Amino acid sequence: MSDRDDRRAETLEAASTGGLSRDRPPQHLVVIGAGIVGAATALEAISAGFRVTILEPGEPGGEQSASYGNGCWLSPMSVIPPAGPGLWKKIPKFLMDPLGPLAIRWSYLPRAAPWLVKYLLAGWTEAKVEAAARALRPLLVGAPALHKALAERAGVGHLIEQRGLIYTYENRGQFESEAMAWRIRRKVGIEWLELDADEMRQREPELDRRYTFGALVEEGGHCRDPGSYVAALVAQAVAEGAELKRAAATGFRIEGGRLRAVTVEGGEVAADKAVICAGAYSRKLAAAAGSPVPLETERGYHAMFPNAEAGPRTPMMPYDGKMSITWTDRGLRCAGQVEIAGLEAAPNWKRAEILRDHLLRSFPNLKPGEVKVWMGHRPSMPDGLPCLGPSAASHDVLLGFGHGHVGLVGGPRSAQALVSMLAERVPPVPVEPFRPSRFA
Ligand SMILES: Cc1cc2nc3c(=O)[nH]c(=O)nc-3n(C[C@H](O)[C@H](O)[C@H](O)COP(=O)(O)OP(=O)(O)OC[C@H]3O[C@@H](n4cnc5c(N)ncnc54)[C@H](O)[C@@H]3O)c2cc1C
């Protein structure tokens, strides 16, 4: 029996236990969007016995997707939502400094204002931040192992590594200035090792000496090339029977509360179920399914040195740069920055230059050479939690987007949760905090 026959046999087995009957033809699921969330959902759905069509106008895992150029971190400790208590005091600075780590474009402020208000309110108190962390932790815990299994299924297991992740600080005082975040991490079960100056030097000999304190989270992992990884997952889904259609979804034909078809330009794809996984581009589709949600894009950038000759041994995030630094198969990548400027505005490449310059300051042996830059769109909900659940118009259409800063790490478990809901099984994590109607 070939691997593929094995997989088909497993799929039939799953279908018999997953709420889908052997006697009826498999239900047809349309997955809209082939970033990490859509790709993982497609594979999970095949395992559960669905017939799957993936709609994606671009390359799966291509440069148009956030999943292509992100920081590569599989960080189960990324449970702290972006907004915290007192952030409102910094809003004038965010507006005045277009190159700060978080910037809001004046011209976009009127459109972003309602989202910003919800964003500030979501992190108004420590209790709210802790509640978000408690909701996110089950979605992220164990993520490197889940990714490893998915990657191995697609024949690219080497792209997933678990060597820990380090936060670096110039001194312990900087670490203590983030006490609330670390306190909450501790409460939700995250552990870390504290590294003093000597330990830092031994572990990271090329790191600039100004960093004298580190927090190493050993459960963290990383992906060596998220774009290729997502492309491989989609190719695997196709090898296991999914159809990949190069088209953009435009809406839904829903009759009597039941999905009949997903519409695309000039036609439609008949479907029993659909999941919207179009990342930052999901807002209109969600509204078309009766669920207008406050989805915004937090634009981010990366700068990558394809020929770097110095860098970290373990992926790291310097406190003063607020960016991840990770070796990838395409070079040494630093990724970060948050810019609230919408989906249409041209990139401000100065922001990628800031990342590049900070990387050069962090690794003095790194020579300025060829640098590749990229800008992408985090799909961000105000509270830092994704939307995972049924739309208002039909239980056949699920929302599966809004992962903000944690879409890569959170992709596989989100996929499991979505497919459980589609198959009317109990999800593997509590999904109530992710219900799409929470801002209604
Ligand atoms: C700079 C930066 C650094 C980051 N670092 C990390 C990190 O280290 N770890 C982490 O976990 N997360 C990180 N993230 C966040 C993470 O990349 C995203 O949360 C995640 O990639 C979102 O995945 P997605 O599948 O929802 O969306 P995407 O990857 O954006 O994919 C959406 C897909 O939908 C397609 N699409 C759009 N419209 C339609 C339509 N109408 N019909 C069909 N398809 C459509 C798009 O072409 C795209 O391919 C980072 C993000 C950025 C920008």
Side-chain angles (χ1 to χ4, degrees), residues 87-380:
L87 189 73
W88 61 272
K89 292 180 209 150
K90 297 185 185 162
I91 290 283
K93 188 166 180 286
F94 297 156
L95 282 163
M96 302 315 291
D97 180 2
L99 298 178
L102 195 162
I104 305 165
R105 283 218 193 148
W106 271 108
S107 55
Y108 193 69
L109 182 60
R111 281 186 66 188
W115 182 89
L116 279 168
V117 170
K118 292 183 180 70
Y119 173 81
L120 294 175
L121 289 175
W124 201 257
T125 62
E126 180 165 340
K128 287 189 167 197
V129 175
E130 184 177 328
R134 288 193 184 282
L136 264 184
R137 176 66 172 163
L139 204 63
L140 310 189
V141 70
L146 292 178
H147 279 283
K148 189 77 172 175
L150 268 183
E152 281 173 350
R153 176 167 168 184
V156 291
H158 63 281
L159 290 180
I160 305 298
E161 291 187 353
Q162 186 172 1
R163 291 204 238 147
L165 298 163
I166 307 184
Y167 295 83
T168 61
Y169 301 87
E170 291 175 344
N171 48 57
R172 179 175 265 282
Q174 284 183 345
F175 170 74
E176 283 166 1
S177 73
E178 296 183 331
M180 182 195 79
W182 289 104
R183 185 164 58 242
I184 292 174
R185 286 193 181 111
R186 174 96 68 205
K187 280 190 186 173
V188 302
I190 294 159
E191 294 177 353
W192 63 92
L193 296 174
E194 297 184 3
L195 308 174
D196 63 19
D198 274 353
E199 288 162 329
M200 289 282 284
R201 201 158 305 161
Q202 278 168 31
R203 285 192 66 97
E204 296 293 343
E206 294 185 304
L207 180 64
D208 188 69
R209 293 283 176 266
R210 73 177 183 279
Y211 297 107
T212 64
F213 187 83
L216 166 66
V217 184
E218 291 179 303
E219 65 174 301
H222 69 282
C223 177
R224 296 190 59 88
D225 185 345
S228 300
Y229 170 47
V230 170
L233 297 186
V234 173
Q236 181 63 23
V238 171
E240 292 182 27
E243 186 180 355
L244 172 62
K245 271 193 196 300
R246 297 308 182 92
T250 53
F252 305 93
R253 182 157 63 83
I254 294 169
E255 292 167 2
R258 300 312 307 259
L259 177 68
R260 301 296 175 210
V262 177
T263 57
V264 295
E265 257 176 43
E268 59 178 36
V269 180
D272 302 304
K273 305 274 180 187
V275 188
I276 305 170
C277 303
Y281 303 91
S282 300
R283 195 163 58 185
K284 277 190 192 157
L285 289 167
S291 292
V293 291
L295 176 71
E296 186 47 80
T297 165
E298 291 180 89
R299 295 146 55 109
Y301 291 78
H302 85 215
M304 195 159 62
F305 288 60
N307 307 309
E309 58 302 275
R313 289 181 176 173
T314 305
M316 64 174 56
M317 183 170 292
Y319 169 85
D320 51 352
K322 298 273 179 284
M323 63 188 200
S324 58
I325 305 175
T326 310
W327 282 109
T328 73
D329 287 352
R330 301 180 196 225
L332 182 61
R333 178 184 292 185
C334 55
Q337 301 271 327
V338 173
E339 185 181 42
I340 309 292
L343 286 168
E344 309 299 337
N348 177 355
W349 294 120
K350 286 196 181 124
R351 303 186 70 88
E353 289 168 19
I354 293 171
L355 295 172
R356 175 201 64 194
D357 294 346
H358 201 284
L359 183 58
L360 287 167
R361 282 202 308 282
S362 301
F363 291 92
N365 294 334
L366 188 60
K367 308 227 170 18
E370 187 193 350
V371 176
K372 292 189 170 165
V373 294
W374 170 85
M375 189 271 285
H377 294 285
R378 296 182 189 88
S380 299

Side-chain angles (χ1 to χ4, degrees), residues 139 386 388-390 414 417-418 421 427-436 438:
L139 204 63
L388 303 174
S414 298
L418 288 165
M421 286 186 261
V429 294
V431 289
E432 214 274 336
F434 311 128
R435 67 193 187 285
R438 64 191 186 274

